[in-house]
Amino acid sequence: MKHLEVSFAGLNLRNPFIVSSCSLTNTVEKNLRWEEAGAGALVLKSLFEEEIEAESASMEQGIHTEETDYLRTYYRANRLDHYLQLIAQTKKKCSIPVIASINCFRNSEWTDFAFHIANAGADALELNVMSVCSDDDYVYGSYEQRHIEIVERIKRTVDIPVIVKLGRNFTNPIPLIKQLYAHGVAAVVLFNRMASMDIRVDKLTYTHGDIWGHPSDLYEVLRWTGITSAHIPSLDLAASGGVVDGEAMVKSLLAGASAVEVCTSLYRNGSSVIGGMLEYLTNWMQSHHYTSIDQFRGLMNARQQHASDRFERVQFFKNYSLRDD
């Protein structure tokens, strides 16, 4: 389906559907299934340094102190090696782009993981920098600067395309995205989904909140995709969050995304989602007489006349009707 081909982060995708990083991409067999179902690319389940540390710490209980450093080093190396094998084996089986994903908290691990991942053959690397800033002595701008410093270090380490998946916790992400682009980032994903928390009032314990994405998540994604693509038109964007069907995919492309990352719909409905969304996209393009995605990508972003108020207003004004017609 040549009419669905797109370029994202310097990679040629047969279509804009990217399987998002999750447990659905943690084995070669699963990844091959996504390719056979028609996905344009996939992001492997993230390699989390914090998760490695926590699992290693749980294994160290009852072990003599002198042995803990050895165990921690061995466990880290084993987890990293397993991830590198996943990359290499998926590349052997799949012809679509394979994007690795990492989340770290130490500078040395960001660069070390990135180095080994690039050597394992990943087509690109997605940086999952998501965290919550809650320190009393937080310095304004330091969180944004942290993203830039991580990118600078990794860009000096690897030659493969680097993608940054941003969280929603920015008042204005545009200045940061401009800096990331200036430092060589090939694409930005809007947005990362933060793990939710909840409280059980019957047992006075903590628990997780709703783990699934929701169609309403798309509204904020469309807002910032439309604004970002207008400010930085040469940067590739992927929409992530609320992309649950073909209509949401078309909306994301119209707002300026080059691709979409999908997760929740795959968990809930399986691989048939991919074909259904691509069929909707194809039919929509035919009905509007488009022969390529580039012909309409960004057609309804904030650059369009009279569109900026739609993207930037935060509430309904009395002079705006709730009707769109």
Side-chain angles (χ1 to χ4, degrees):
M1 296 184 288
K2 279 192 166 295
H3 62 288
L4 298 185
E5 290 180 353
V6 295
S7 175
F8 175 71
L11 306 174
N12 294 319
L13 277 59
R14 60 183 178 179
N15 62 65
F17 191 108
I18 301 176
V19 181
S20 186
S21 174
C22 59
S23 61
L24 296 176
T25 58
N26 63 359
T27 70
V28 178
E29 292 73 25
K30 293 176 184 177
N31 296 335
L32 182 58
R33 192 182 314 142
W34 302 131
E35 176 176 30
E36 292 172 344
L42 59 90
V43 186
L44 299 178
K45 188 180 187 313
S46 289
L47 182 64
F48 283 92
E49 180 191 357
E50 186 177 15
E51 184 178 277
I52 295 174
E53 288 285 315
E55 293 177 0
S56 176
S58 67
M59 295 174 62
E60 294 168 6
Q61 296 180 6
I63 298 178
H64 195 276
T65 304
E66 294 178 356
E67 299 172 340
T68 57
D69 286 341
Y70 170 79
L71 180 61
R72 186 178 296 113
T73 301
Y74 172 81
Y75 186 74
R76 173 197 177 279
N78 185 64
R79 283 291 301 274
L80 176 58
D81 183 63
H82 179 78
Y83 196 75
L84 300 179
Q85 289 183 38
L86 175 62
I87 295 171
Q89 292 170 8
T90 300
K91 284 295 298 176
K92 286 183 179 179
K93 294 287 186 179
C94 298
S95 59
I96 60 175
V98 176
I99 304 169
S101 174
I102 58 175
N103 178 290
C104 304
F105 55 86
R106 286 181 293 201
N107 289 334
S108 60
E109 296 295 67
W110 280 109
T111 53
D112 190 58
F113 283 176
F115 173 79
H116 289 293
I117 282 170
N119 286 343
D123 294 298
L125 174 61
E126 184 176 275
L127 307 182
N128 179 352
V129 197
M130 188 67 177
S131 63
V132 176
C133 302
S134 58
D135 295 337
D136 291 341
D137 57 353
Y138 170 73
V139 177
Y140 291 109
S142 60
Y143 182 53
E144 288 81 355
Q145 186 60 34
R146 173 72 173 148
H147 287 70
I148 297 168
E149 291 172 355
I150 291 170
V151 168
E152 286 180 329
R153 291 174 179 272
I154 290 178
K155 287 294 294 181
R156 290 197 296 264
T157 305
V158 303
D159 294 324
I160 60 175
V162 174
I163 304 164
V164 177
K165 192 169 190 177
L166 291 180
R168 297 173 183 261
N169 51 336
F170 295 97
T171 303
N172 178 9
I174 300 299
L176 171 59
I177 296 173
K178 283 187 174 181
Q179 284 294 311
L180 294 174
Y181 181 52
H183 283 81
V185 164
V188 168
V189 182
L190 304 172
F191 288 105
N192 204 346
R193 179 175 168 81
M194 184 184 297
S196 56
M197 64 147 302
D198 202 352
I199 294 174
R200 291 195 59 175
V201 297
D202 55 339
K203 297 185 177 181
L204 298 182
T205 57
Y206 298 107
T207 184
H208 60 77
D210 187 0
I211 63 173
W212 303 114
H214 192 272
S216 63
D217 295 337
L218 182 67
Y219 303 142
E220 198 69 2
V221 172
L222 291 178
R223 180 192 301 274
W224 286 109
T225 299
I227 295 174
T228 304
S229 65
H231 281 271
I232 320 170
S234 54
L235 175 65
D236 289 338
L237 301 173
S240 177
V243 186
V244 298
D245 54 26
E247 183 179 10
M249 174 186 277
V250 171
K251 291 178 181 180
S252 300
L253 297 171
L254 284 168
S258 297
V260 298
E261 290 193 1
V262 181
C263 179
T264 294
S265 286
L266 293 173
Y267 272 107
R268 286 180 163 171
N269 304 303
S271 59
S272 63
V273 166
I274 300 175
M277 290 177 66
L278 296 178
E279 182 180 9
Y280 183 98
L281 173 59
T282 297
N283 292 337
W284 181 88
M285 288 174 62
Q286 290 175 348
S287 68
H288 288 77
H289 309 291
Y290 293 120
T291 57
S292 73
I293 288 175
D294 282 342
Q295 290 177 337
F296 66 89
R297 186 173 63 85
L299 183 65
M300 298 189 69
N301 69 7
R303 205 172 30 189
Q304 309 310 315
Q305 188 178 15
H306 306 307
S308 61
D309 61 321
R310 290 279 181 174
F311 284 95
E312 296 178 7
R313 76 175 190 257
V314 294
Q315 63 183 28
F316 289 107
F317 298 144
K318 63 181 181 180
N319 57 320
Y320 285 112
S321 167
L322 290 176
R323 295 181 59 182
D324 292 322
D325 54 356

